[in-house]
Amino acid sequence: MKTKIFKDYEELSTNTANEILAVVQSNPMAMLCLASGDTPRLAYMLAAKRAKEGNIDFSRCTFVALDEWMGIPPANEGSCQFFLRRYLFDPLNIPERNINFFNAVSSDPDEECKKMNDVIARKGGIDLMIVGIGMNGHIGFNEPGQAFDQYAHVVDLDETSRTVAQKYFRESTQLSKGLTLGLRHMLEAKKVLLIASGLKKAEIIEKTMGEEISPKIPSTSIRNHPNGYVMLDKEAASLLSAKSM
Ligand code: F6R
């Protein structure tokens, strides 16, 4: 794992967009797995804009969503699906057959997990995975305590995630479970970018880099990834010592 520190959110986003474009240019049939949330928003907007300007063809890539709020339909603006469509898939006109989401309103969530596991396995794994980090160190919805060797699964969201996530919804929304790819998917991905921005993430980034690698802080798992990058703006990196980078 390596750490990269950028001046600010804009520079972090530009470099994240560069990574997306580079993977697609070198492998037009790449499989990309993407988080939603505030952190990657600008990177996706920039990637979509530059792909259009530069005629970079995303039409043969496969996309897989990292996670979804159980019970929240895709038309809800707070859903991960709504976000990815709005900022990336719609602007790029990605063919529907190339997009894979968890169906959050399915009556059989375990089957949804199996479906995602199968899609990823059939493609031979994820080429590029972009993840954010929760205030509790979650990756996707792998909350503290989740084993590193799991593929997709259903999780009970913890109190921090349920509270922080209200920022995505127009109205106060009852969230209790999530569907998520597992940390094993991340550890097996060919390349992973964990991106974080702002002072509010500084403390969990310090723990991610400095504390023992353990399911107590799921984000520490990225330190086991030989091609993992922790990409930060200066504020998110502000508590890191040279030793932990
Ligand atoms: C969302 C996801 C979450 C977020 C994390 C950070 O798809 O996987 O793990 O990446 O909660 O969210 P933001 O970027 O909003 O701070």
Side-chain angles (χ1 to χ4, degrees):
M1 184 224 51
K2 296 186 189 65
T3 312
K4 290 189 178 179
I5 299 172
F6 301 98
K7 184 170 61 122
D8 53 22
Y9 178 60
E10 281 66 32
E11 204 180 280
L12 168 69
S13 303
T14 301
N15 280 274
T16 306
N18 289 346
E19 294 276 352
I20 296 172
L21 296 167
V23 164
V24 176
Q25 280 181 301
S26 71
N27 175 9
M29 296 184 65
M31 171 172 260
L32 289 88
C33 171
L34 305 172
S36 49
D38 289 339
T39 315
R41 183 184 290 116
L42 180 58
Y44 298 161
M45 291 166 79
L46 293 173
K49 181 166 174 285
R50 289 191 22 225
K52 277 200 263 185
E53 288 165 358
N55 272 327
I56 298 168
D57 181 15
F58 276 64
S59 67
R60 287 184 294 151
C61 296
T62 305
F63 292 89
V64 58
L66 174 59
D67 46 18
E68 191 54 275
W69 311 104
M70 179 106 93
I72 303 296
N76 186 315
E77 281 192 32
S79 71
C80 300
Q81 177 161 176
F82 190 97
F83 174 96
L84 289 172
R85 287 191 187 281
R86 171 185 270 180
Y87 294 109
L88 200 63
F89 302 155
D90 290 351
L92 285 173
N93 286 317
I94 303 294
E96 202 55 38
R97 64 178 177 280
N98 296 356
I99 303 176
N100 300 278
F101 288 110
F102 287 101
N103 175 0
V105 293
S106 164
S107 57
D108 190 347
D110 290 332
E111 183 55 32
E112 286 304 302
C113 295
K114 184 176 174 310
K115 184 188 82 184
M116 294 300 244
N117 290 340
D118 289 348
V119 166
I120 294 168
R122 264 202 311 277
K123 284 287 290 181
I126 296 164
D127 293 292
L128 178 67
M129 185 151 174
I130 298 190
V131 302
I133 179 170
M135 302 299 284
N136 59 2
H138 74 202
I139 297 285
F141 292 150
N142 291 277
E143 300 284 29
Q146 299 285 315
F148 290 176
D149 62 356
Q150 279 179 295
Y151 286 124
H153 58 286
V154 176
V155 292
D156 291 322
L157 297 168
D158 86 2
E159 180 62 31
T160 308
S161 301
R162 282 185 273 146
T163 309
V164 174
Q166 295 303 319
K167 67 180 177 171
Y168 305 126
F169 296 89
R170 273 179 197 268
E171 306 166 346
S172 157
T173 302
Q174 184 76 35
L175 301 166
S176 62
K177 287 180 188 287
L179 295 134
T180 187
L181 297 191
L183 292 170
R184 186 157 176 192
H185 281 123
M186 184 185 84
L187 292 169
E188 290 178 357
K190 294 183 187 86
K191 186 168 192 177
V192 180
L193 312 179
L194 186 162
I195 59 174
S197 161
L199 284 177
K200 63 179 184 301
K201 295 284 170 77
E203 203 173 311
I204 189 63
I205 288 295
E206 181 191 30
K207 290 184 179 154
T208 298
M209 304 300 281
E211 296 216 353
E212 183 197 349
I213 298 176
S214 117
K216 278 190 217 150
I217 307 176
S219 49
T220 56
S221 60
I222 196 167
R223 285 164 45 207
N224 286 337
H225 198 299
N227 203 22
Y229 292 82
V230 175
M231 310 222 324
L232 309 168
D233 63 12
K234 271 199 176 148
E235 288 190 351
S238 57
L239 295 178
L240 291 183
S241 60
K243 184 165 84 32
S244 59
M245 282 196 249

